Amino acid sequence: MTEILISILVLIGSFLSLIGSLGIIRLPDIYSRMHAATKSATLGVVFLISGSFVFFLSEGVFILQLLFTIAFVFLTAPVAAMIISRSAHRNGVELWGRTKHDELMESYPEHLEPERDNEKADQP
Amino acid sequence: MFEVIMIVALLVLSVSLMLCIARALMGPTLSDRIVALDSFGLNLIGFISIFMILQNTEAYAEVVLVLGILAFVGSVALAKFLERGVVIDRDSH
Amino acid sequence: MAFQILLNLTIAFFWMILQNSYTSFDFVIGYVIGIAIVYFLRGSLPQTFYMQRVWAIVKLLCLFLKELVVANLQMIRIVLQPKLKVTPGIIAMPTYLDTDWEVTILSMCITLTPGTMTMDYSEDGRTLYIHSIHVEEKQEVIDDIRNHFERAIVEVTK
């Protein structure tokens, strides 16, 4: 019975990780890729680790480190996503051509505005 | 049956790891590579936790925790390095 | 709040002493009885009943987990559809939360929920810049976050 539960957890987890990586390959610009990398990969890893945790719990071993890792991944994934996308935007990495609003660009002070090759970004 | 499912999951994760490496090699900008490596680290954690089930050993529990920390610290450090001169950070002191 | 928790713990230990058995099971029973006693005494205690806050935290966690699952289903749909039909955008969202902690929790919730990701904050920390993977109407995205997360977070910290 527990084997079925563990199998389901592990299969969902690996599928979500695959979705995350496919998103990193398929999506057009870094900001959209960041969505895939944070949401899907995080939940996928949490599923995989909890599968492992349940397996050892059914064997009678309680591994606290795995629980710590789940909490840690949940806490750090949003921070890493924010810092990476912010540094990309400040370095002038182009947005996808179909992006509608860019209100972050308007918020920068004049002398700090990143340089961006707009002609290249306009092409789809 | 149980082992077969674990090996299938390992294969799926290997494909996922390869896709991450592909993006890290292709990535037009440095930021894309950072995203790919961050996601690579997360997937590696999952990979090792399946290995723990397959080999029935709890020796890798610390490895999982430390790899999680290293993936986070590494990507944050790289992103901060990329940001270098631009300091619009709030000072909190 | 701290006083009420201390009172509750005291009642739990007292229960264990009266039962003369010191297991974690007895402690849990004592704690539950303590919650009931503090609930009936809430009128004469200085602050509001602290389980209200615990309940608000549980509600926030449930909302967060539900939105996380929805976010992943949406991500699966976006990645697996043959042609990308999305229009991303970066939106400035003013928030009325006060302390840094609340804003931090809000931005974490935004990142792990459907279609949105925090990118930056303004210098005073009261405006968040959100990258949304599919924007139809700017105000819709902002209202969605307002009605779900800000309200739940205010419940916890008020």
Side-chain angles (χ1 to χ4, degrees), chain C residues 21-131:
Chain C
S21 81
Y22 304 94
T23 58
S24 53
F25 184 66
D26 281 293
F27 179 78
V28 170
I29 290 179
Y31 202 85
V32 171
I33 291 172
I35 289 173
I37 291 174
V38 174
Y39 177 72
F40 285 119
L41 288 178
R42 70 190 182 282
S44 53
L45 288 173
Q47 286 151 327
T48 52
F49 184 43
Y50 80 97
M51 284 310 279
Q52 266 177 9
R53 188 170 284 190
V54 175
W55 178 238
I57 291 174
V58 170
K59 266 205 299 200
L60 180 64
L61 269 179
C62 287
L63 177 72
F64 175 72
L65 289 179
K66 193 199 89 189
E67 296 281 316
L68 185 60
V69 172
V70 173
N72 277 279
L73 292 179
Q74 191 205 30
M75 210 63 233
I76 292 172
R77 216 176 46 236
I78 288 176
V79 170
L80 289 186
Q81 68 186 238
K83 208 160 180 297
L84 289 175
K85 283 178 289 209
V86 290
T87 46
I90 299 175
I91 303 166
M93 185 199 129
T95 168
Y96 55 78
L97 296 175
D98 292 324
T99 56
D100 287 353
W101 268 108
E102 289 170 325
V103 178
T104 310
I105 292 173
L106 178 68
S107 66
M108 286 174 72
C109 288
I110 288 172
T111 299
L112 288 177
T113 51
T116 49
M117 181 178 77
T118 320
M119 283 186 62
D120 206 346
Y121 46 80
S122 65
E123 235 161 296
D124 59 350
R126 295 294 165 266
T127 307
L128 296 173
Y129 295 94
I130 300 169
H131 183 269

Side-chain angles (χ1 to χ4, degrees), chain A residues 9-90:
Chain A
L9 283 176
V10 166
L11 283 180
I12 292 177
S14 50
F15 176 69
L16 281 176
S17 294
L18 184 66
I19 289 289
S21 304
L22 268 179
I24 290 180
I25 286 287
R26 270 206 70 192
L27 292 172
D29 68 352
I30 174 173
Y31 309 103
S32 317
R33 281 178 207 142
M34 208 69 237
H35 279 278
T38 49
K39 294 190 185 86
S40 303
T42 305
L43 196 61
V45 161
V46 168
F47 267 112
L48 287 173
I49 296 176
S50 44
S52 179
F53 180 75
V54 171
F55 176 79
F56 285 105
L57 202 62
S58 70
E59 305 238 312
V61 190
F62 184 86
I63 306 184
L64 198 61
Q65 285 98 322
L66 292 181
L67 283 188
F68 269 132
T69 315
I70 291 177
F72 191 79
V73 167
F74 261 128
L75 282 179
T76 57
V79 179
M82 197 200 91
I83 291 185
I84 293 173
S85 57
R86 188 178 72 178
S87 77
H89 199 274
R90 284 186 186 169

